[in-house]
Amino acid sequence: MNIIEKTYKWNGKLSNRKSTNRIILHHAESKSCTADDIHRWHLANGWCGIGYHFFVRKDGSIYRGRPEGVVGSHAKGSNSDSIGICFEGSYMTETMNQTQINAGRELVAYLKNKYGISKVQKHMDVCSTNCPGTNFPFDAIVNGTVATAPTPTPAAKPATSEQATGTYEVTASDLSVRTGPGTGYRRKRHDELTKDGQKHDKDKDGCLEKGTHVTVYEWKNGWARTPSGWLCGDYLTKV
């Protein structure tokens, strides 16, 4: 297994992790991105930089993120004893290819053996989120079995044309509010949301909770502009 080393410019001091008891798996929620993209996005969130320890691309290449022995920033409340692995892709709507599955399986097996651990979790197991997506092949990566990908729920996408404006409901557990139409734009801060948006941002992290009703003014590349900011249309359904 080849891990591609990266050099990042960190915004602040990284702290060493005292124990490693589990691995937590994520998706990037972007169909195409690099480790450098994620580092840039996480810096824009006010973090030290890329929060994951490893990043697995669709071509099977594995990149170093944070140094392996430091505390990550990938799963709120669970960073102190875990290693975070992120997979390129958006697995609410995509299906992972076998090359990426094989790379992820090899990396997870390597880390389990290295640290003498067996616990592997999805981000959604420890936080209120849909990450790493309902189509994420967890069993194939962790247990070496190929699980049948569930059929995407029709309500996960806008029920009408992308040109339709009006009232929509958030279907994700926590939906990031972005400054622009895409994951390349940073997540907004809590104080940048409208007063109504702040009421539905229970964790004060720039995310709207499931069931929030929003008004959509326009659509662009699958993203919806609302009073608080841009939301991914995959997680909105027309009311």
Side-chain angles (χ1 to χ4, degrees):
M1 181 181 63
N2 178 46
I3 298 173
I4 301 171
E5 301 294 338
K6 294 282 296 178
T7 300
Y8 303 97
K9 185 175 181 181
W10 303 103
N11 180 29
K13 185 178 180 181
L14 300 173
S15 301
N16 290 329
R17 191 174 59 254
K18 294 181 179 179
S19 62
T20 304
N21 301 318
R22 52 183 163 161
I23 300 166
I24 299 177
L25 306 183
H26 307 256
H27 70 159
E29 202 179 340
S30 173
K31 293 184 177 181
S32 178
C33 61
T34 66
D36 289 317
D37 288 332
I38 293 176
H39 182 63
R40 186 175 68 254
W41 301 339
H42 287 187
L43 284 172
N45 286 343
W47 303 348
C48 288
I50 185 170
Y52 311 110
H53 297 92
F54 297 95
F55 180 61
V56 182
R57 298 211 64 184
K58 290 181 175 180
D59 63 3
S61 55
I62 301 172
Y63 288 81
R64 180 82 65 188
R66 290 202 179 193
E68 197 171 313
V70 308
V71 177
S73 185
H74 57 93
K76 187 176 181 181
S78 300
N79 291 311
S80 63
D81 68 343
S82 67
I83 289 178
I85 303 175
C86 181
F87 290 75
E88 180 185 18
S90 183
Y91 295 109
M92 286 297 291
T93 56
E94 290 187 272
T95 301
M96 189 179 293
N97 68 60
Q98 193 62 48
T99 299
Q100 192 177 20
I101 290 173
N102 291 343
R105 180 188 299 155
E106 186 177 10
L107 177 60
V108 168
Y110 162 77
L111 293 171
K112 287 168 71 174
N113 182 65
K114 180 176 181 177
Y115 291 95
I117 58 178
S118 59
K119 190 173 186 179
V120 184
Q121 297 174 294
K122 303 173 188 176
H123 188 192
M124 66 175 67
D125 292 333
V126 297
C127 294
S128 179
T129 176
N130 54 30
C131 177
T134 54
N135 293 337
F136 187 83
F138 183 82
D139 286 339
I141 290 171
V142 177
N143 303 316
T145 59
V146 179
T148 301
T151 302
T153 305
K157 294 186 177 182
T160 57
S161 165
E162 282 196 353
Q163 301 304 313
T165 57
T167 303
Y168 284 75
E169 182 176 311
V170 174
T171 60
S173 297
D174 276 301
L175 185 58
S176 297
V177 182
R178 304 279 181 178
T179 58
T183 54
Y185 293 87
R186 71 172 176 83
R187 181 190 297 173
K188 283 195 169 185
R189 300 188 308 272
H190 177 76
D191 61 7
E192 293 179 297
L193 306 183
T194 64
K195 293 296 183 184
D196 184 66
Q198 290 177 15
K199 292 178 183 178
H200 297 283
D201 179 19
K202 59 182 180 181
D203 294 327
K204 301 186 184 302
D205 58 355
C207 296
L208 300 183
E209 61 191 55
K210 185 176 182 179
T212 301
H213 283 196
V214 295
T215 301
V216 173
Y217 296 130
E218 67 169 313
W219 289 89
K220 186 174 182 181
N221 299 326
W223 288 73
R225 184 172 66 85
T226 72
S228 283
W230 290 86
L231 304 173
C232 180
D234 288 341
Y235 311 115
L236 297 176
T237 187
K238 192 78 165 63
V239 175

